[in-house]
CSV table of all heavy atoms in Angstrom, one decimal:
chain,number,residue,atom,x,y,z
A,401,LEU,N,-147.4,-41.5,-5.1
A,401,LEU,CA,-147.6,-42.5,-4.1
A,401,LEU,C,-148.3,-43.8,-4.5
A,401,LEU,O,-148.0,-44.9,-4.0
A,401,LEU,CB,-148.4,-41.9,-2.9
A,401,LEU,CG,-147.8,-40.7,-2.2
A,401,LEU,CD1,-148.7,-40.1,-1.2
A,401,LEU,CD2,-146.5,-41.1,-1.5
A,402,ASN,N,-149.2,-43.7,-5.5
A,402,ASN,CA,-150.0,-44.8,-5.9
A,402,ASN,C,-150.0,-44.9,-7.5
A,402,ASN,O,-150.4,-43.9,-8.1
A,402,ASN,CB,-151.4,-44.7,-5.4
A,402,ASN,CG,-151.4,-44.5,-3.9
A,402,ASN,OD1,-151.1,-45.4,-3.1
A,402,ASN,ND2,-151.8,-43.3,-3.5
A,403,ASN,N,-149.7,-46.0,-8.0
A,403,ASN,CA,-149.8,-46.2,-9.5
A,403,ASN,C,-151.3,-46.3,-9.8
A,403,ASN,O,-151.9,-47.3,-9.5
A,403,ASN,CB,-149.0,-47.4,-9.9
A,403,ASN,CG,-149.0,-47.5,-11.4
A,403,ASN,OD1,-149.8,-46.9,-12.1
A,403,ASN,ND2,-148.0,-48.2,-11.9
A,404,THR,N,-151.9,-45.3,-10.5
A,404,THR,CA,-153.4,-45.4,-10.7
A,404,THR,C,-153.7,-46.0,-12.0
A,404,THR,O,-154.8,-46.0,-12.5
A,404,THR,CB,-153.9,-43.9,-10.7
A,404,THR,OG1,-153.2,-43.2,-11.7
A,404,THR,CG2,-153.7,-43.3,-9.4
A,405,GLY,N,-152.7,-46.6,-12.7
A,405,GLY,CA,-153.1,-47.4,-13.9
A,405,GLY,C,-152.7,-46.8,-15.2
A,405,GLY,O,-152.9,-47.4,-16.3
A,406,PHE,N,-152.0,-45.6,-15.2
A,406,PHE,CA,-151.7,-45.0,-16.5
A,406,PHE,C,-150.3,-45.4,-16.9
A,406,PHE,O,-150.0,-45.5,-18.1
A,406,PHE,CB,-151.7,-43.5,-16.3
A,406,PHE,CG,-153.1,-42.9,-16.3
A,406,PHE,CD1,-153.7,-42.5,-15.1
A,406,PHE,CD2,-153.8,-42.7,-17.5
A,406,PHE,CE1,-155.0,-42.0,-15.1
A,406,PHE,CE2,-155.1,-42.2,-17.5
A,406,PHE,CZ,-155.7,-41.8,-16.3
A,407,ARG,N,-149.4,-45.6,-16.0
A,407,ARG,CA,-148.0,-45.7,-16.4
A,407,ARG,C,-147.7,-47.1,-16.9
A,407,ARG,O,-148.3,-48.1,-16.7
A,407,ARG,CB,-147.1,-45.5,-15.1
A,407,ARG,CG,-147.3,-44.1,-14.5
A,407,ARG,CD,-146.2,-43.7,-13.6
A,407,ARG,NE,-146.0,-44.7,-12.5
A,407,ARG,CZ,-146.5,-44.6,-11.3
A,407,ARG,NH1,-147.3,-43.6,-11.1
A,407,ARG,NH2,-146.3,-45.5,-10.4
A,408,ARG,N,-146.6,-47.1,-17.7
A,408,ARG,CA,-146.2,-48.4,-18.3
A,408,ARG,C,-145.2,-49.2,-17.5
A,408,ARG,O,-144.6,-50.1,-17.9
A,408,ARG,CB,-145.5,-48.0,-19.7
A,408,ARG,CG,-146.4,-47.4,-20.7
A,408,ARG,CD,-145.7,-47.4,-22.1
A,408,ARG,NE,-144.5,-46.6,-22.1
A,408,ARG,CZ,-144.5,-45.4,-22.5
A,408,ARG,NH1,-145.6,-44.8,-22.9
A,408,ARG,NH2,-143.3,-44.7,-22.5
A,409,PHE,N,-145.0,-48.7,-16.2
A,409,PHE,CA,-144.1,-49.4,-15.3
A,409,PHE,C,-144.7,-49.6,-14.0
A,409,PHE,O,-145.7,-48.9,-13.6
A,409,PHE,CB,-142.8,-48.6,-15.2
A,409,PHE,CG,-143.0,-47.2,-14.8
A,409,PHE,CD1,-143.2,-46.8,-13.6
A,409,PHE,CD2,-143.0,-46.2,-15.9
A,409,PHE,CE1,-143.4,-45.4,-13.3
A,409,PHE,CE2,-143.2,-44.9,-15.6
A,409,PHE,CZ,-143.4,-44.5,-14.3
A,410,ASP,N,-144.2,-50.5,-13.2
A,410,ASP,CA,-144.7,-50.8,-11.9
A,410,ASP,C,-143.7,-50.4,-10.9
A,410,ASP,O,-142.5,-50.2,-11.2
A,410,ASP,CB,-145.1,-52.3,-11.8
A,410,ASP,CG,-146.3,-52.7,-12.7
A,410,ASP,OD1,-147.2,-51.8,-12.8
A,410,ASP,OD2,-146.2,-53.7,-13.3
A,411,GLY,N,-144.1,-50.5,-9.6
A,411,GLY,CA,-143.2,-50.2,-8.5
A,411,GLY,C,-143.2,-48.8,-8.0
A,411,GLY,O,-143.9,-47.9,-8.6
A,412,PRO,N,-142.5,-48.5,-7.0
A,412,PRO,CA,-142.6,-47.1,-6.4
A,412,PRO,C,-141.9,-46.1,-7.3
A,412,PRO,O,-141.0,-46.4,-8.0
A,412,PRO,CB,-141.8,-47.3,-5.0
A,412,PRO,CG,-140.9,-48.5,-5.3
A,412,PRO,CD,-141.7,-49.4,-6.2
A,413,VAL,N,-142.3,-44.9,-7.1
A,413,VAL,CA,-141.7,-43.8,-7.9
A,413,VAL,C,-140.5,-43.2,-7.0
A,413,VAL,O,-140.7,-42.8,-5.9
A,413,VAL,CB,-142.7,-42.7,-8.2
A,413,VAL,CG1,-142.1,-41.5,-8.9
A,413,VAL,CG2,-143.8,-43.2,-9.0
A,414,PRO,N,-139.3,-43.0,-7.6
A,414,PRO,CA,-138.2,-42.5,-6.8
A,414,PRO,C,-138.5,-41.0,-6.5
A,414,PRO,O,-139.1,-40.3,-7.3
A,414,PRO,CB,-137.0,-42.7,-7.7
A,414,PRO,CG,-137.6,-42.7,-9.1
A,414,PRO,CD,-138.9,-43.4,-8.9
A,415,ASP,N,-138.0,-40.5,-5.4
A,415,ASP,CA,-138.1,-39.1,-5.0
A,415,ASP,C,-137.4,-38.2,-6.1
A,415,ASP,O,-136.4,-38.7,-6.7
A,415,ASP,CB,-137.6,-38.8,-3.6
A,415,ASP,CG,-138.6,-39.3,-2.6
A,415,ASP,OD1,-139.7,-39.7,-2.9
A,415,ASP,OD2,-138.1,-39.5,-1.4
A,416,HIS,N,-137.8,-37.0,-6.2
A,416,HIS,CA,-137.2,-36.1,-7.2
A,416,HIS,C,-136.0,-35.4,-6.5
A,416,HIS,O,-136.1,-34.9,-5.4
A,416,HIS,CB,-138.2,-35.0,-7.6
A,416,HIS,CG,-137.6,-34.0,-8.5
A,416,HIS,ND1,-137.3,-34.2,-9.8
A,416,HIS,CD2,-137.2,-32.7,-8.2
A,416,HIS,CE1,-136.8,-33.1,-10.3
A,416,HIS,NE2,-136.7,-32.2,-9.4
A,417,PHE,N,-134.9,-35.4,-7.3
A,417,PHE,CA,-133.7,-34.6,-6.9
A,417,PHE,C,-133.2,-33.8,-8.1
A,417,PHE,O,-133.4,-34.2,-9.2
A,417,PHE,CB,-132.6,-35.5,-6.3
A,417,PHE,CG,-133.0,-36.2,-5.1
A,417,PHE,CD1,-133.5,-37.5,-5.1
A,417,PHE,CD2,-132.8,-35.6,-3.8
A,417,PHE,CE1,-133.9,-38.2,-3.9
A,417,PHE,CE2,-133.2,-36.2,-2.7
A,417,PHE,CZ,-133.7,-37.5,-2.7
A,418,ASP,N,-132.6,-32.7,-7.8
A,418,ASP,CA,-132.1,-31.9,-8.9
A,418,ASP,C,-130.8,-32.4,-9.5
A,418,ASP,O,-129.8,-31.7,-9.5
A,418,ASP,CB,-131.9,-30.4,-8.4
A,418,ASP,CG,-133.2,-29.8,-8.1
A,418,ASP,OD1,-134.2,-30.0,-8.8
A,418,ASP,OD2,-133.2,-29.0,-7.1
A,419,THR,N,-130.9,-33.6,-10.0
A,419,THR,CA,-129.7,-34.2,-10.6
A,419,THR,C,-130.2,-34.8,-12.0
A,419,THR,O,-131.1,-35.6,-12.0
A,419,THR,CB,-129.1,-35.4,-9.8
A,419,THR,OG1,-130.1,-36.3,-9.5
A,419,THR,CG2,-128.5,-34.8,-8.5
A,420,ALA,N,-129.6,-34.4,-13.0
A,420,ALA,CA,-130.1,-34.8,-14.4
A,420,ALA,C,-129.3,-36.0,-14.9
A,420,ALA,O,-128.1,-36.1,-14.5
A,420,ALA,CB,-130.0,-33.6,-15.4
A,421,MET,N,-129.9,-36.8,-15.7
A,421,MET,CA,-129.2,-37.9,-16.3
A,421,MET,C,-128.4,-37.4,-17.5
A,421,MET,O,-129.0,-36.7,-18.4
A,421,MET,CB,-130.2,-39.0,-16.8
A,421,MET,CG,-131.0,-39.6,-15.6
A,421,MET,SD,-132.4,-40.5,-16.2
A,421,MET,CE,-131.5,-41.6,-17.3
A,422,GLY,N,-127.2,-37.8,-17.7
A,422,GLY,CA,-126.4,-37.4,-18.8
A,422,GLY,C,-125.9,-36.0,-18.7
A,422,GLY,O,-126.1,-35.3,-17.7
A,423,PRO,N,-125.3,-35.4,-19.7
A,423,PRO,CA,-124.7,-34.1,-19.7
A,423,PRO,C,-125.8,-33.0,-19.6
A,423,PRO,O,-126.9,-33.2,-20.2
A,423,PRO,CB,-124.0,-34.0,-21.0
A,423,PRO,CG,-124.6,-35.0,-21.9
A,423,PRO,CD,-125.1,-36.1,-21.0
A,424,LYS,N,-125.6,-32.0,-18.8
A,424,LYS,CA,-126.6,-31.0,-18.7
A,424,LYS,C,-126.5,-30.0,-19.9
A,424,LYS,O,-125.5,-29.9,-20.5
A,424,LYS,CB,-126.3,-30.2,-17.4
A,424,LYS,CG,-126.6,-30.9,-16.1
A,424,LYS,CD,-126.4,-30.0,-14.9
A,424,LYS,CE,-126.7,-30.8,-13.6
A,424,LYS,NZ,-126.5,-29.9,-12.4
A,425,ARG,N,-127.7,-29.4,-20.1
A,425,ARG,CA,-127.7,-28.4,-21.2
A,425,ARG,C,-126.9,-27.2,-20.8
A,425,ARG,O,-127.0,-26.8,-19.7
A,425,ARG,CB,-129.2,-28.0,-21.5
A,425,ARG,CG,-130.0,-29.1,-22.1
A,425,ARG,CD,-131.4,-28.6,-22.2
A,425,ARG,NE,-132.0,-28.3,-20.9
A,425,ARG,CZ,-133.0,-27.5,-20.7
A,425,ARG,NH1,-133.5,-26.8,-21.8
A,425,ARG,NH2,-133.5,-27.2,-19.5
A,426,PRO,N,-126.2,-26.6,-21.8
A,426,PRO,CA,-125.5,-25.4,-21.5
A,426,PRO,C,-126.5,-24.3,-21.2
A,426,PRO,O,-127.5,-24.0,-21.9
A,426,PRO,CB,-124.7,-25.1,-22.7
A,426,PRO,CG,-125.5,-25.8,-23.8
A,426,PRO,CD,-126.0,-27.0,-23.2
A,427,ARG,N,-126.3,-23.6,-20.1
A,427,ARG,CA,-127.2,-22.5,-19.7
A,427,ARG,C,-126.7,-21.2,-20.1
A,427,ARG,O,-125.5,-20.9,-19.9
A,427,ARG,CB,-127.5,-22.6,-18.2
A,427,ARG,CG,-128.0,-23.9,-17.7
A,427,ARG,CD,-128.2,-23.9,-16.2
A,427,ARG,NE,-129.2,-23.0,-15.8
A,427,ARG,CZ,-129.5,-22.8,-14.5
A,427,ARG,NH1,-128.9,-23.5,-13.5
A,427,ARG,NH2,-130.4,-21.9,-14.1
A,428,GLU,N,-127.6,-20.3,-20.6
A,428,GLU,CA,-127.2,-19.0,-21.0
A,428,GLU,C,-126.8,-18.2,-19.8
A,428,GLU,O,-127.6,-18.1,-18.9
A,428,GLU,CB,-128.3,-18.4,-21.8
A,428,GLU,CG,-127.9,-17.0,-22.3
A,428,GLU,CD,-129.1,-16.3,-23.0
A,428,GLU,OE1,-130.2,-17.0,-23.1
A,428,GLU,OE2,-129.0,-15.2,-23.5
A,429,LYS,N,-125.7,-17.5,-19.8
A,429,LYS,CA,-125.2,-16.7,-18.7
A,429,LYS,C,-125.4,-15.2,-19.1
A,429,LYS,O,-125.1,-14.8,-20.2
A,429,LYS,CB,-123.8,-17.0,-18.3
A,429,LYS,CG,-123.6,-18.4,-17.8
A,429,LYS,CD,-122.2,-18.6,-17.3
A,429,LYS,CE,-122.0,-19.9,-16.6
A,429,LYS,NZ,-120.6,-20.1,-16.2
A,430,LYS,N,-125.8,-14.4,-18.2
A,430,LYS,CA,-126.0,-13.0,-18.4
A,430,LYS,C,-124.9,-12.3,-17.5
A,430,LYS,O,-124.9,-12.4,-16.3
A,430,LYS,CB,-127.4,-12.6,-17.9
A,430,LYS,CG,-128.5,-13.2,-18.8
A,430,LYS,CD,-128.7,-12.3,-20.0
A,430,LYS,CE,-129.9,-12.8,-20.8
A,430,LYS,NZ,-130.2,-12.0,-22.0
A,431,ASP,N,-124.1,-11.5,-18.3
A,431,ASP,CA,-123.1,-10.7,-17.5
A,431,ASP,C,-123.7,-9.4,-17.2
A,431,ASP,O,-124.9,-9.0,-17.6
A,431,ASP,CB,-121.8,-10.6,-18.3
A,431,ASP,CG,-122.1,-10.0,-19.7
A,431,ASP,OD1,-123.0,-9.2,-19.9
A,431,ASP,OD2,-121.2,-10.2,-20.6
A,432,LEU,N,-123.0,-8.6,-16.4
A,432,LEU,CA,-123.5,-7.3,-16.0
A,432,LEU,C,-123.8,-6.3,-17.1
A,432,LEU,O,-124.8,-5.6,-17.1
A,432,LEU,CB,-122.6,-6.7,-15.0
A,432,LEU,CG,-123.0,-5.3,-14.4
A,432,LEU,CD1,-124.3,-5.5,-13.6
A,432,LEU,CD2,-121.9,-4.8,-13.4
A,433,LEU,N,-122.9,-6.4,-18.2
A,433,LEU,CA,-123.1,-5.4,-19.3
A,433,LEU,C,-124.4,-5.7,-20.1
A,433,LEU,O,-125.1,-4.8,-20.4
A,433,LEU,CB,-121.9,-5.5,-20.2
A,433,LEU,CG,-121.9,-4.6,-21.4
A,433,LEU,CD1,-122.0,-3.2,-21.0
A,433,LEU,CD2,-120.7,-4.9,-22.3
A,434,GLN,N,-124.6,-7.0,-20.3
A,434,GLN,CA,-125.9,-7.4,-21.0
A,434,GLN,C,-127.1,-7.0,-20.3
A,434,GLN,O,-128.1,-6.4,-20.8
A,434,GLN,CB,-125.9,-8.9,-21.3
A,434,GLN,CG,-124.9,-9.4,-22.3
A,434,GLN,CD,-124.9,-10.9,-22.4
A,434,GLN,OE1,-124.8,-11.6,-21.5
A,434,GLN,NE2,-125.0,-11.4,-23.7
A,435,ILE,N,-127.1,-7.2,-19.0
A,435,ILE,CA,-128.3,-6.9,-18.1
A,435,ILE,C,-128.4,-5.4,-18.1
A,435,ILE,O,-129.6,-4.8,-18.1
A,435,ILE,CB,-128.1,-7.5,-16.7
A,435,ILE,CG1,-128.2,-9.0,-16.8
A,435,ILE,CG2,-129.2,-7.0,-15.8
A,435,ILE,CD1,-128.0,-9.7,-15.5
A,436,THR,N,-127.3,-4.6,-18.0
A,436,THR,CA,-127.4,-3.2,-18.0
A,436,THR,C,-128.0,-2.6,-19.2
A,436,THR,O,-128.9,-1.7,-19.2
A,436,THR,CB,-126.0,-2.6,-17.7
A,436,THR,OG1,-125.5,-3.1,-16.5
A,436,THR,CG2,-126.1,-1.0,-17.6
A,437,LYS,N,-127.6,-3.2,-20.4
A,437,LYS,CA,-128.2,-2.7,-21.7
A,437,LYS,C,-129.7,-3.0,-21.8
A,437,LYS,O,-130.4,-2.2,-22.2
A,437,LYS,CB,-127.4,-3.4,-22.8
A,437,LYS,CG,-126.0,-3.0,-23.0
A,437,LYS,CD,-125.4,-3.7,-24.2
A,437,LYS,CE,-123.9,-3.3,-24.4
A,437,LYS,NZ,-123.3,-4.0,-25.5
A,438,GLU,N,-130.0,-4.2,-21.4
A,438,GLU,CA,-131.4,-4.6,-21.4
A,438,GLU,C,-132.3,-3.8,-20.5
A,438,GLU,O,-133.4,-3.3,-20.8
A,438,GLU,CB,-131.6,-6.1,-21.1
A,438,GLU,CG,-133.0,-6.6,-21.2
A,438,GLU,CD,-133.1,-8.1,-21.0
A,438,GLU,OE1,-132.1,-8.8,-21.3
A,438,GLU,OE2,-134.1,-8.5,-20.4
A,439,LEU,N,-131.7,-3.5,-19.3
A,439,LEU,CA,-132.4,-2.7,-18.3
A,439,LEU,C,-132.6,-1.3,-18.8
A,439,LEU,O,-133.6,-0.6,-18.6
A,439,LEU,CB,-131.7,-2.7,-16.9
A,439,LEU,CG,-132.4,-2.1,-15.7
A,439,LEU,CD1,-133.7,-2.7,-15.5
A,439,LEU,CD2,-131.5,-2.2,-14.5
A,440,SER,N,-131.6,-0.7,-19.4
A,440,SER,CA,-131.6,0.6,-20.0
A,440,SER,C,-132.7,0.7,-21.0
A,440,SER,O,-133.4,1.7,-21.1
A,440,SER,CB,-130.2,1.0,-20.5
A,440,SER,OG,-129.2,1.0,-19.5
A,441,VAL,N,-132.8,-0.3,-21.9
A,441,VAL,CA,-133.8,-0.2,-22.9
A,441,VAL,C,-135.2,-0.2,-22.3
A,441,VAL,O,-136.1,0.5,-22.7
A,441,VAL,CB,-133.6,-1.4,-23.9
A,441,VAL,CG1,-134.8,-1.5,-24.9
A,441,VAL,CG2,-132.3,-1.3,-24.7
Side-chain angles (χ1 to χ4, degrees):
L401 298 174
N402 308 288
N403 189 339
T404 58
F406 286 100
R407 302 198 300 268
R408 295 192 297 264
F409 49 82
D410 296 318
V413 177
D415 288 345
H416 173 77
F417 294 95
D418 292 324
T419 55
M421 298 169 53
K424 293 184 177 180
R425 292 176 297 158
R427 301 178 66 182
E428 179 183 2
K429 293 184 177 181
K430 293 279 187 178
D431 56 27
L432 182 59
L433 181 60
Q434 289 176 308
I435 294 179
T436 303
K437 290 180 179 179
E438 185 176 325
L439 186 58
S440 301
V441 172

